[in-house]
Amino acid sequence: MFQIIVDKIKQSFFEYLKSLGVSSASHKNYRSDLNHFSDWLILKVRSMGSSVETFSEAIPFLNPEVANEYKSHMSKENVSVKTINRRLSTLRHLSRFLVSS
């Protein structure tokens, strides 16, 4: 049977965004951007030989080098500069949230 894994860091981040009063459109973009990064990061960590299932488990592998690889990955995939900048902005907000937590 399919089981949905609730990722605590993602949930906490989305609650944090709501507390800031971000618009529903911005919240949708944050959610989309974080899910994109999360999927990429989990695959990246798995390619390094670690077994992770959730974004929370992959967080310890997050560092500036990985963030630069993510940016390069998006450029190679011909993602527009506007979208890359928005996704990186989401990561900056996530970083602030993680530090404050």
Side-chain angles (χ1 to χ4, degrees):
M1 176 165 199
F2 179 72
Q3 180 182 5
I4 297 176
I5 300 171
V6 177
D7 191 289
K8 292 181 183 186
I9 290 180
K10 279 185 181 181
Q11 287 302 109
S12 295
F13 180 62
F14 296 142
E15 289 171 18
Y16 164 77
L17 292 173
K18 284 182 185 178
S19 76
L20 294 178
V22 299
S23 71
S24 59
S26 292
H27 194 271
K28 179 183 172 190
N29 287 334
Y30 280 118
R31 185 176 290 274
S32 173
D33 295 342
L34 186 58
N35 286 332
H36 184 270
F37 176 69
S38 174
D39 291 345
W40 179 87
L41 182 61
I42 289 169
L43 289 174
K44 173 70 179 162
V45 171
R46 286 179 181 168
S47 76
M48 296 185 309
S50 294
S51 176
V52 296
E53 295 295 324
T54 67
F55 182 59
S56 294
E57 293 173 336
I59 286 290
F61 296 89
L62 187 54
N63 61 45
E65 183 180 315
V66 169
N68 284 329
E69 285 183 48
Y70 178 60
K71 182 179 174 184
S72 294
H73 165 76
M74 289 188 291
S75 293
K76 289 177 187 172
E77 294 293 316
N78 294 318
V79 174
S80 74
V81 171
K82 184 177 177 180
T83 300
I84 290 172
N85 287 335
R86 191 191 72 217
R87 287 178 179 168
L88 293 177
S89 177
T90 296
L91 293 184
R92 283 189 294 276
H93 283 279
L94 174 66
S95 296
R96 286 186 209 117
F97 165 74
L98 292 172
V99 168
S100 71
S101 298

XYZ file of all heavy atoms in Angstrom:
823
model
N 0.834 -1.182 0.000
C 0.000 0.000 0.000
C 0.880 1.246 0.000
O 1.891 1.318 0.679
C -0.905 -0.024 1.226
C -1.743 1.197 1.368
S -3.057 0.907 2.560
C -4.123 2.194 2.080
N 0.488 2.252 -0.760
C 1.232 3.504 -0.872
C 1.116 4.278 0.437
O 0.044 4.454 0.989
C 0.681 4.340 -2.030
C 1.372 5.651 -2.214
C 2.659 5.691 -2.718
C 0.752 6.828 -1.880
C 3.306 6.902 -2.896
C 1.386 8.040 -2.052
C 2.658 8.065 -2.563
N 2.250 4.768 0.933
C 2.264 5.533 2.170
C 2.860 6.905 1.903
O 3.934 7.015 1.322
C 3.083 4.810 3.234
C 3.141 5.538 4.549
C 4.004 4.806 5.565
O 4.627 3.804 5.256
N 4.040 5.322 6.760
N 2.158 7.931 2.312
C 2.653 9.293 2.155
C 3.546 9.610 3.345
O 3.159 9.437 4.495
C 1.500 10.303 2.064
C 0.656 10.033 0.825
C 2.032 11.729 2.072
C -0.561 10.904 0.701
N 4.763 10.055 3.045
C 5.703 10.428 4.092
C 5.593 11.941 4.292
O 5.837 12.716 3.378
C 7.145 10.041 3.722
C 7.246 8.539 3.513
C 8.124 10.520 4.777
C 8.570 8.080 2.948
N 5.194 12.331 5.482
C 5.090 13.753 5.789
C 6.473 14.257 6.178
O 7.115 13.719 7.069
C 4.091 13.997 6.940
C 4.057 15.472 7.308
C 2.707 13.503 6.562
N 6.934 15.247 5.466
C 8.252 15.800 5.721
C 8.110 16.976 6.680
O 7.524 17.997 6.347
C 8.893 16.239 4.411
C 10.345 16.572 4.591
O 10.627 17.605 5.220
O 11.178 15.792 4.137
N 8.660 16.823 7.861
C 8.472 17.820 8.913
C 9.097 19.171 8.591
O 8.528 20.211 8.918
C 9.010 17.280 10.239
C 8.180 16.146 10.762
C 8.685 15.621 12.078
C 7.812 14.442 12.466
N 8.123 13.936 13.786
N 10.249 19.182 7.971
C 10.880 20.463 7.646
C 10.050 21.219 6.610
O 9.820 22.420 6.754
C 12.340 20.277 7.173
C 13.201 19.847 8.361
C 12.882 21.553 6.534
C 14.651 19.629 8.046
N 9.583 20.525 5.597
C 8.745 21.188 4.593
C 7.483 21.751 5.243
O 7.119 22.901 5.009
C 8.351 20.219 3.485
C 9.385 20.002 2.428
C 8.779 19.125 1.347
C 9.725 18.823 0.253
N 9.100 17.988 -0.789
N 6.822 20.939 6.044
C 5.584 21.381 6.694
C 5.838 22.599 7.568
O 5.078 23.560 7.536
C 4.977 20.251 7.522
C 4.333 19.166 6.682
C 3.248 19.695 5.776
O 3.427 19.750 4.568
N 2.144 20.106 6.337
N 6.918 22.570 8.338
C 7.246 23.701 9.207
C 7.553 24.956 8.388
O 7.151 26.061 8.757
C 8.441 23.362 10.095
O 8.126 22.323 10.977
N 8.240 24.779 7.279
C 8.565 25.916 6.412
C 7.298 26.526 5.825
O 7.135 27.750 5.817
C 9.529 25.491 5.303
C 9.923 26.596 4.365
C 10.605 27.711 4.817
C 9.629 26.516 3.012
C 10.982 28.743 3.953
C 10.003 27.526 2.136
C 10.679 28.644 2.606
N 6.375 25.693 5.381
C 5.129 26.200 4.805
C 4.284 26.914 5.870
O 3.656 27.938 5.587
C 4.343 25.089 4.127
C 5.066 24.485 2.946
C 4.996 23.123 2.700
C 5.819 25.255 2.077
C 5.665 22.550 1.626
C 6.491 24.694 0.992
C 6.407 23.342 0.760
N 4.303 26.410 7.079
C 3.598 27.087 8.180
C 4.260 28.437 8.483
O 3.573 29.426 8.751
C 3.585 26.206 9.426
C 2.686 25.003 9.288
C 2.823 23.998 10.423
O 3.361 24.366 11.499
O 2.389 22.849 10.236
N 5.580 28.452 8.440
C 6.334 29.690 8.639
C 5.943 30.725 7.580
O 5.730 31.900 7.899
C 7.831 29.374 8.588
C 8.755 30.541 8.406
C 9.065 31.389 9.465
C 9.356 30.791 7.169
C 9.932 32.460 9.298
C 10.226 31.853 7.002
C 10.507 32.679 8.066
O 11.371 33.736 7.888
N 5.840 30.304 6.335
C 5.449 31.220 5.261
C 4.055 31.785 5.509
O 3.815 32.970 5.299
C 5.507 30.518 3.904
C 6.891 30.133 3.393
C 6.770 29.305 2.124
C 7.753 31.368 3.163
N 3.145 30.926 5.955
C 1.789 31.400 6.260
C 1.831 32.451 7.358
O 1.122 33.456 7.292
C 0.891 30.239 6.687
C 0.425 29.378 5.553
C -0.497 28.281 6.049
C -0.858 27.333 4.920
N -1.707 26.225 5.371
N 2.678 32.238 8.363
C 2.774 33.196 9.470
C 3.321 34.540 9.003
O 3.050 35.564 9.622
C 3.639 32.635 10.599
O 5.009 32.695 10.277
N 4.083 34.537 7.910
C 4.597 35.786 7.345
C 3.544 36.520 6.527
O 3.734 37.668 6.149
C 5.820 35.516 6.467
C 7.067 34.987 7.148
C 8.162 34.737 6.111
C 7.561 35.948 8.215
N 2.465 35.810 6.217
C 1.393 36.418 5.444
C 1.668 36.514 3.960
O 1.159 37.421 3.306
N 2.460 35.576 3.434
C 2.722 35.608 1.988
C 1.429 35.327 1.234
O 0.548 34.619 1.720
C 3.834 34.620 1.566
C 5.146 34.933 2.228
C 3.436 33.186 1.833
N 1.326 35.877 0.057
C 0.125 35.696 -0.752
C -0.014 34.238 -1.165
O 0.952 33.471 -1.152
C 0.188 36.581 -1.997
O 1.169 36.082 -2.898
N -1.217 33.870 -1.569
C -1.442 32.481 -1.987
C -0.626 32.148 -3.235
O -0.133 31.029 -3.380
C -2.929 32.213 -2.226
O -3.437 33.077 -3.209
N -0.447 33.120 -4.124
C 0.366 32.882 -5.329
C 1.830 32.654 -4.950
O 2.480 31.741 -5.476
C 0.247 34.053 -6.290
N 2.341 33.479 -4.030
C 3.727 33.299 -3.582
C 3.886 31.968 -2.861
O 4.885 31.267 -3.051
C 4.145 34.435 -2.655
O 4.235 35.644 -3.368
N 2.910 31.622 -2.047
C 2.967 30.355 -1.314
C 3.016 29.190 -2.296
O 3.783 28.239 -2.112
C 1.767 30.231 -0.373
C 1.918 29.153 0.628
N 1.522 27.854 0.391
C 2.447 29.158 1.875
C 1.789 27.116 1.453
N 2.352 27.882 2.362
N 2.227 29.278 -3.357
C 2.221 28.233 -4.386
C 3.601 28.128 -5.035
O 4.107 27.028 -5.260
C 1.156 28.549 -5.436
C 1.076 27.548 -6.554
C 0.048 27.957 -7.593
C 0.122 27.054 -8.790
N -0.669 27.543 -9.914
N 4.221 29.278 -5.329
C 5.556 29.270 -5.935
C 6.600 28.697 -4.983
O 7.453 27.906 -5.392
C 5.960 30.675 -6.379
C 5.215 31.130 -7.611
O 4.764 30.324 -8.408
N 5.075 32.423 -7.752
N 6.542 29.103 -3.707
C 7.472 28.551 -2.721
C 7.335 27.034 -2.652
O 8.319 26.311 -2.626
C 7.210 29.133 -1.329
C 7.787 30.499 -1.088
C 6.969 31.581 -0.806
C 9.165 30.704 -1.099
C 7.492 32.839 -0.550
C 9.708 31.954 -0.849
C 8.858 33.023 -0.573
O 9.391 34.251 -0.327
N 6.103 26.570 -2.606
C 5.850 25.130 -2.519
C 6.409 24.401 -3.748
O 7.101 23.393 -3.622
C 4.352 24.860 -2.376
C 4.002 23.406 -2.154
C 2.510 23.234 -1.915
N 2.074 23.768 -0.656
C 2.105 23.110 0.493
N 2.551 21.873 0.525
N 1.673 23.676 1.603
N 6.146 24.936 -4.916
C 6.636 24.333 -6.160
C 8.162 24.323 -6.200
O 8.785 23.303 -6.527
C 6.084 25.107 -7.353
O 6.655 24.655 -8.548
N 8.759 25.467 -5.856
C 10.217 25.575 -5.888
C 10.869 24.632 -4.887
O 11.860 23.963 -5.209
C 10.662 27.011 -5.587
C 10.225 28.001 -6.653
O 9.875 27.570 -7.774
O 10.228 29.213 -6.357
N 10.313 24.557 -3.683
C 10.898 23.682 -2.672
C 10.730 22.217 -3.058
O 11.650 21.416 -2.865
C 10.288 23.939 -1.294
C 10.953 23.165 -0.160
C 12.447 23.477 -0.070
C 10.263 23.471 1.158
N 9.587 21.861 -3.628
C 9.406 20.477 -4.068
C 10.385 20.120 -5.184
O 10.932 19.016 -5.202
C 7.964 20.230 -4.507
C 7.018 20.138 -3.338
O 7.405 19.742 -2.229
N 5.773 20.497 -3.550
N 10.629 21.054 -6.098
C 11.592 20.805 -7.174
C 12.980 20.576 -6.594
O 13.671 19.618 -6.941
C 11.611 21.993 -8.151
C 12.498 21.781 -9.317
N 13.838 22.142 -9.323
C 12.257 21.225 -10.526
C 14.367 21.818 -10.475
N 13.434 21.265 -11.231
N 13.396 21.474 -5.690
C 14.710 21.340 -5.081
C 14.801 20.068 -4.245
O 15.803 19.355 -4.296
C 15.039 22.557 -4.216
C 16.347 22.424 -3.498
C 17.544 22.440 -4.200
C 16.386 22.240 -2.119
C 18.764 22.291 -3.544
C 17.593 22.101 -1.453
C 18.784 22.119 -2.163
N 13.773 19.782 -3.502
C 13.754 18.597 -2.651
C 13.939 17.326 -3.468
O 14.760 16.462 -3.122
C 12.430 18.535 -1.883
O 12.320 17.345 -1.161
N 13.189 17.222 -4.560
C 13.325 16.047 -5.430
C 14.742 15.940 -5.977
O 15.329 14.856 -6.004
C 12.325 16.114 -6.589
C 10.884 15.947 -6.138
O 10.654 15.498 -4.993
O 9.984 16.282 -6.938
N 15.289 17.068 -6.417
C 16.649 17.074 -6.953
C 17.653 16.684 -5.878
O 18.550 15.868 -6.118
C 16.994 18.451 -7.527
C 18.384 18.520 -8.062
C 18.800 18.177 -9.324
C 19.569 18.903 -7.347
N 20.170 18.341 -9.428
C 20.663 18.781 -8.224
C 19.807 19.348 -6.055
C 21.963 19.089 -7.853
C 21.101 19.649 -5.670
C 22.168 19.517 -6.569
N 17.521 17.264 -4.680
C 18.469 16.993 -3.602
C 18.430 15.527 -3.179
O 19.480 14.910 -2.976
C 18.192 17.893 -2.397
C 19.148 17.731 -1.211
C 20.594 18.065 -1.620
C 18.696 18.607 -0.047
N 17.256 14.952 -3.081
C 17.148 13.544 -2.698
C 17.850 12.662 -3.722
O 18.613 11.759 -3.364
C 15.675 13.139 -2.501
C 15.126 13.802 -1.221
C 15.517 11.625 -2.433
C 13.629 13.690 -1.053
N 17.634 12.938 -5.001
C 18.327 12.167 -6.043
C 19.831 12.375 -5.970
O 20.611 11.431 -6.145
C 17.804 12.540 -7.428
C 16.402 12.065 -7.762
C 15.955 12.633 -9.119
C 16.326 10.548 -7.763
N 20.264 13.594 -5.703
C 21.689 13.909 -5.586
C 22.312 13.133 -4.433
O 23.377 12.515 -4.588
C 21.866 15.424 -5.375
C 23.269 15.863 -5.074
C 24.151 15.723 -6.290
C 25.559 16.193 -5.965
N 26.523 15.700 -6.929
N 21.662 13.139 -3.285
C 22.188 12.434 -2.112
C 22.221 10.930 -2.366
O 23.188 10.250 -2.013
C 21.371 12.784 -0.851
C 21.755 11.910 0.328
C 21.549 14.267 -0.499
N 21.202 10.424 -3.009
C 21.187 8.989 -3.341
C 22.322 8.637 -4.287
O 22.914 7.564 -4.177
C 19.845 8.599 -3.950
C 18.725 8.537 -2.943
C 17.429 8.178 -3.613
N 16.334 8.131 -2.653
C 15.066 8.073 -3.000
N 14.713 8.029 -4.287
N 14.133 8.037 -2.077
N 22.639 9.550 -5.221
C 23.731 9.277 -6.166
C 25.081 9.248 -5.460
O 26.043 8.694 -5.977
C 23.752 10.312 -7.290
O 24.282 11.546 -6.839
N 25.146 9.831 -4.265
C 26.372 9.807 -3.473
C 26.441 8.551 -2.596
O 27.384 8.376 -1.842
C 26.464 11.058 -2.588
C 26.561 12.344 -3.388
S 26.825 13.872 -2.423
C 25.581 13.816 -1.175
N 25.428 7.693 -2.701
C 25.451 6.423 -1.978
C 24.694 6.399 -0.669
O 24.738 5.398 0.037
N 24.008 7.472 -0.345
C 23.232 7.496 0.897
C 21.771 7.189 0.602
O 21.243 7.568 -0.438
C 23.329 8.859 1.572
O 24.639 9.094 2.013
N 21.154 6.534 1.532
C 19.751 6.168 1.375
C 18.888 7.155 2.147
O 18.867 7.132 3.377
C 19.521 4.747 1.901
O 18.153 4.428 1.843
N 18.228 8.043 1.429
C 17.321 8.998 2.055
C 15.955 8.886 1.398
O 15.843 8.557 0.217
C 17.842 10.457 1.954
C 19.136 10.635 2.716
C 18.012 10.881 0.519
N 14.938 9.153 2.188
C 13.567 9.097 1.674
C 12.901 10.466 1.672
O 12.012 10.714 0.883
C 12.728 8.133 2.525
C 13.183 6.692 2.450
C 13.009 6.091 1.068
O 12.019 6.425 0.390
O 13.877 5.299 0.656
N 13.323 11.327 2.596
C 12.659 12.620 2.751
C 13.645 13.766 2.638
O 14.860 13.587 2.783
C 11.965 12.726 4.120
O 12.960 12.743 5.144
C 10.984 11.584 4.341
N 13.095 14.941 2.426
C 13.892 16.156 2.381
C 14.600 16.376 3.712
O 15.771 16.744 3.744
C 12.984 17.344 2.034
C 13.696 18.649 1.904
C 14.706 18.824 0.987
C 13.331 19.722 2.696
C 15.360 20.042 0.848
C 13.963 20.941 2.573
C 14.976 21.106 1.645
N 13.902 16.122 4.808
C 14.502 16.289 6.137
C 15.754 15.443 6.299
O 16.738 15.878 6.903
C 13.494 15.933 7.234
O 12.425 16.851 7.246
N 15.737 14.244 5.742
C 16.911 13.373 5.821
C 18.054 13.869 4.937
O 19.218 13.590 5.207
C 16.541 11.947 5.411
C 15.597 11.253 6.355
C 15.117 9.911 5.831
O 15.120 9.680 4.602
O 14.712 9.079 6.670
N 17.711 14.605 3.887
C 18.732 15.102 2.957
C 19.338 16.428 3.396
O 20.425 16.792 2.930
C 18.127 15.248 1.563
N 18.692 17.143 4.293
C 19.163 18.458 4.737
C 20.617 18.455 5.209
O 21.369 19.376 4.885
C 18.229 19.038 5.819
C 16.926 19.508 5.195
C 18.874 20.175 6.600
C 17.046 20.728 4.319
N 21.076 17.452 5.968
C 22.474 17.487 6.419
C 23.504 17.530 5.277
O 24.648 17.910 5.487
C 22.623 16.193 7.229
C 21.247 15.890 7.702
C 20.349 16.349 6.579
N 23.096 17.158 4.079
C 23.997 17.162 2.925
C 24.014 18.510 2.212
O 24.779 18.708 1.277
C 23.596 16.062 1.938
C 23.728 14.684 2.491
C 22.671 14.083 3.175
C 24.917 13.977 2.345
C 22.799 12.808 3.694
C 25.056 12.693 2.859
C 23.991 12.110 3.546
N 23.157 19.418 2.652
C 23.046 20.724 2.011
C 24.226 21.605 2.409
O 24.528 21.780 3.579
C 21.730 21.385 2.427
C 21.347 22.671 1.739
C 21.339 22.514 0.228
C 19.980 23.119 2.226
N 24.920 22.119 1.389
C 26.046 23.020 1.605
C 26.181 23.906 0.363
O 25.488 23.685 -0.634
C 27.336 22.231 1.902
C 27.736 21.312 0.766
O 27.717 21.693 -0.395
N 28.098 20.080 1.095
N 27.045 24.916 0.404
C 27.174 25.817 -0.752
C 27.528 25.095 -2.057
O 27.051 25.470 -3.123
C 28.280 26.788 -0.330
C 28.202 26.811 1.161
C 27.840 25.399 1.545
N 28.349 24.063 -1.980
C 28.730 23.323 -3.192
C 27.506 22.653 -3.829
O 27.320 22.698 -5.045
C 29.786 22.270 -2.857
C 30.283 21.504 -4.072
C 31.338 20.476 -3.701
O 32.248 20.810 -2.912
O 31.243 19.355 -4.213
N 26.671 22.054 -3.016
C 25.456 21.401 -3.517
C 24.515 22.443 -4.117
O 23.919 22.219 -5.181
C 24.766 20.580 -2.398
C 23.388 20.116 -2.824
C 25.633 19.386 -2.015
N 24.395 23.593 -3.462
C 23.545 24.665 -3.988
C 24.061 25.138 -5.353
O 23.269 25.385 -6.270
C 23.487 25.820 -2.996
N 25.369 25.248 -5.499
C 25.942 25.634 -6.795
C 25.689 24.567 -7.855
O 25.448 24.891 -9.017
C 27.434 25.930 -6.657
C 27.697 27.265 -6.016
O 26.913 28.201 -6.165
N 28.802 27.370 -5.291
N 25.750 23.302 -7.454
C 25.439 22.216 -8.398
C 23.989 22.300 -8.852
O 23.682 22.050 -10.022
C 25.710 20.855 -7.760
C 27.168 20.505 -7.657
C 27.387 19.113 -7.071
O 26.723 18.159 -7.543
O 28.199 18.982 -6.138
N 23.107 22.642 -7.931
C 21.685 22.787 -8.271
C 21.504 23.911 -9.286
O 20.800 23.758 -10.280
C 20.878 23.047 -7.005
C 19.407 23.269 -7.230
C 18.611 22.288 -7.820
C 18.792 24.454 -6.837
C 17.253 22.487 -8.016
C 17.434 24.658 -7.018
C 16.668 23.669 -7.611
O 15.322 23.868 -7.798
N 22.176 25.022 -9.045
C 22.103 26.165 -9.967
C 22.637 25.756 -11.347
O 22.017 26.057 -12.374
C 22.900 27.335 -9.410
C 22.842 28.576 -10.250
C 23.640 29.699 -9.615
C 23.704 30.907 -10.516
N 24.549 31.967 -9.956
N 23.759 25.056 -11.386
C 24.324 24.583 -12.655
C 23.388 23.613 -13.353
O 23.225 23.670 -14.578
C 25.676 23.904 -12.416
O 26.618 24.818 -11.956
N 22.780 22.741 -12.575
C 21.828 21.777 -13.134
C 20.685 22.504 -13.841
O 20.308 22.148 -14.960
C 21.285 20.869 -12.024
C 20.067 20.094 -12.410
N 20.141 18.983 -13.227
C 18.766 20.269 -12.113
C 18.917 18.508 -13.413
N 18.075 19.273 -12.741
N 20.151 23.525 -13.185
C 19.040 24.264 -13.797
C 19.494 24.971 -15.072
O 18.761 24.997 -16.063
C 18.447 25.265 -12.802
C 17.675 24.611 -11.674
S 16.791 25.788 -10.628
C 18.151 26.611 -9.791
N 20.694 25.529 -15.057
C 21.208 26.204 -16.257
C 21.363 25.223 -17.411
O 20.999 25.529 -18.554
C 22.557 26.859 -15.964
O 22.407 27.915 -15.064
N 21.896 24.031 -17.114
C 22.071 23.001 -18.152
C 20.731 22.530 -18.708
O 20.659 22.114 -19.865
C 22.849 21.816 -17.594
C 24.294 22.115 -17.337
C 25.002 20.934 -16.705
C 26.411 21.300 -16.307
N 27.072 20.248 -15.534
N 19.689 22.597 -17.879
C 18.351 22.181 -18.314
C 17.598 23.314 -19.020
O 16.421 23.184 -19.334
C 17.535 21.704 -17.105
C 18.067 20.437 -16.463
C 17.940 19.229 -17.376
O 16.865 19.061 -18.003
O 18.923 18.469 -17.470
N 18.312 24.416 -19.269
C 17.752 25.588 -19.957
C 16.544 26.195 -19.239
O 15.610 26.678 -19.874
C 17.399 25.261 -21.411
C 18.628 24.952 -22.226
O 19.643 25.628 -22.093
N 18.555 23.926 -23.048
N 16.582 26.157 -17.915
C 15.556 26.825 -17.121
C 15.785 28.318 -17.259
O 16.936 28.785 -17.275
C 15.655 26.373 -15.643
C 14.692 27.150 -14.762
C 15.421 24.869 -15.517
N 14.717 29.086 -17.389
C 14.870 30.528 -17.574
C 15.554 31.162 -16.357
O 15.433 30.681 -15.230
C 13.507 31.187 -17.797
O 12.785 31.250 -16.584
N 16.253 32.252 -16.616
C 16.971 32.971 -15.558
C 15.985 33.429 -14.482
O 16.277 33.363 -13.287
C 17.758 34.169 -16.143
C 18.331 35.039 -15.048
C 18.854 33.665 -17.068
N 14.819 33.877 -14.889
C 13.800 34.329 -13.944
C 13.398 33.197 -12.994
O 13.285 33.413 -11.782
C 12.583 34.850 -14.707
C 11.506 35.430 -13.849
C 10.379 35.984 -14.693
C 9.259 36.516 -13.816
N 8.153 37.049 -14.606
N 13.199 32.014 -13.531
C 12.818 30.862 -12.704
C 13.968 30.443 -11.797
O 13.755 30.138 -10.622
C 12.369 29.686 -13.590
O 11.243 30.106 -14.373
C 11.984 28.476 -12.762
N 15.179 30.441 -12.327
C 16.346 30.098 -11.502
C 16.446 31.070 -10.330
O 16.622 30.650 -9.174
C 17.650 30.117 -12.334
C 17.665 28.945 -13.314
C 18.874 30.065 -11.424
C 18.807 28.981 -14.319
N 16.308 32.351 -10.599
C 16.398 33.347 -9.530
C 15.296 33.172 -8.494
O 15.540 33.299 -7.292
C 16.377 34.761 -10.101
C 17.674 35.114 -10.783
O 18.725 34.559 -10.472
N 17.617 36.038 -11.726
N 14.087 32.850 -8.949
C 12.983 32.631 -8.010
C 13.258 31.412 -7.139
O 13.060 31.440 -5.926
C 11.662 32.454 -8.761
C 10.448 32.498 -7.829
C 9.169 32.069 -8.493
N 9.226 30.623 -8.691
C 8.734 29.994 -9.754
N 8.161 30.665 -10.730
N 8.819 28.687 -9.849
N 13.745 30.328 -7.748
C 14.052 29.115 -6.987
C 15.177 29.362 -5.988
O 15.132 28.859 -4.864
C 14.405 27.972 -7.929
C 13.201 27.422 -8.669
C 13.583 26.333 -9.635
N 12.398 25.805 -10.304
C 12.448 25.006 -11.359
N 13.623 24.623 -11.866
N 11.328 24.570 -11.909
N 16.181 30.125 -6.379
C 17.273 30.440 -5.454
C 16.787 31.348 -4.328
O 17.235 31.224 -3.185
C 18.444 31.072 -6.207
C 19.163 30.151 -7.191
C 20.255 30.913 -7.941
C 19.726 28.922 -6.503
N 15.853 32.221 -4.628
C 15.257 33.061 -3.589
C 14.521 32.191 -2.570
O 14.601 32.430 -1.359
C 14.296 34.072 -4.219
O 13.659 34.829 -3.225
N 13.832 31.182 -3.052
C 13.160 30.243 -2.151
C 14.174 29.563 -1.245
O 13.941 29.417 -0.040
C 12.366 29.192 -2.959
O 11.322 29.866 -3.682
C 11.769 28.129 -2.061
N 15.314 29.170 -1.805
C 16.350 28.532 -0.991
C 16.926 29.492 0.048
O 17.253 29.081 1.164
C 17.464 27.967 -1.875
C 17.076 26.802 -2.776
C 18.290 26.283 -3.527
C 16.414 25.696 -1.986
N 17.042 30.771 -0.300
C 17.508 31.753 0.680
C 16.520 31.881 1.837
O 16.909 31.910 3.010
C 17.743 33.112 0.018
C 19.036 33.180 -0.786
C 19.357 34.593 -1.239
N 18.400 35.127 -2.185
C 18.437 34.907 -3.498
N 19.396 34.155 -4.024
N 17.540 35.431 -4.300
N 15.230 31.906 1.505
C 14.201 31.954 2.558
C 14.236 30.685 3.400
O 14.094 30.753 4.632
C 12.813 32.146 1.948
C 12.546 33.546 1.517
N 12.150 34.526 2.385
C 12.636 34.132 0.308
C 11.997 35.658 1.735
N 12.290 35.446 0.467
N 14.426 29.561 2.758
C 14.525 28.296 3.496
C 15.728 28.330 4.427
O 15.625 27.919 5.589
C 14.637 27.114 2.529
C 14.885 25.747 3.187
C 13.681 25.318 4.019
C 15.217 24.710 2.122
N 16.841 28.834 3.943
C 18.056 28.921 4.765
C 17.827 29.774 6.001
O 18.213 29.422 7.108
C 19.224 29.493 3.967
O 19.563 28.622 2.922
N 17.179 30.922 5.806
C 16.872 31.797 6.951
C 15.975 31.081 7.948
O 16.171 31.187 9.165
C 16.210 33.086 6.469
C 17.174 34.025 5.812
C 16.500 35.362 5.489
N 17.161 35.918 4.318
C 16.578 36.153 3.149
N 15.304 35.926 2.964
N 17.275 36.631 2.140
N 14.995 30.362 7.428
C 14.089 29.615 8.295
C 14.855 28.559 9.085
O 14.669 28.417 10.289
C 12.983 28.956 7.466
C 12.235 27.900 8.193
C 11.323 28.224 9.187
C 12.457 26.558 7.913
C 10.640 27.229 9.878
C 11.790 25.570 8.596
C 10.878 25.898 9.587
N 15.724 27.819 8.403
C 16.477 26.756 9.074
C 17.403 27.319 10.154
O 17.523 26.750 11.234
C 17.284 25.938 8.054
C 16.465 25.080 7.094
C 17.364 24.491 6.018
C 15.715 23.985 7.846
N 18.042 28.444 9.859
C 18.935 29.059 10.845
C 18.131 29.540 12.055
O 18.549 29.370 13.196
C 19.743 30.215 10.210
C 20.438 31.049 11.266
C 20.743 29.660 9.209
N 16.976 30.126 11.800
C 16.166 30.645 12.913
C 15.500 29.538 13.719
O 15.078 29.761 14.839
C 15.105 31.621 12.394
O 14.102 30.933 11.672
N 15.408 28.362 13.129
C 14.771 27.241 13.834
C 15.774 26.611 14.747
O 15.785 25.563 15.166
C 14.213 26.225 12.848
O 13.226 26.811 12.062
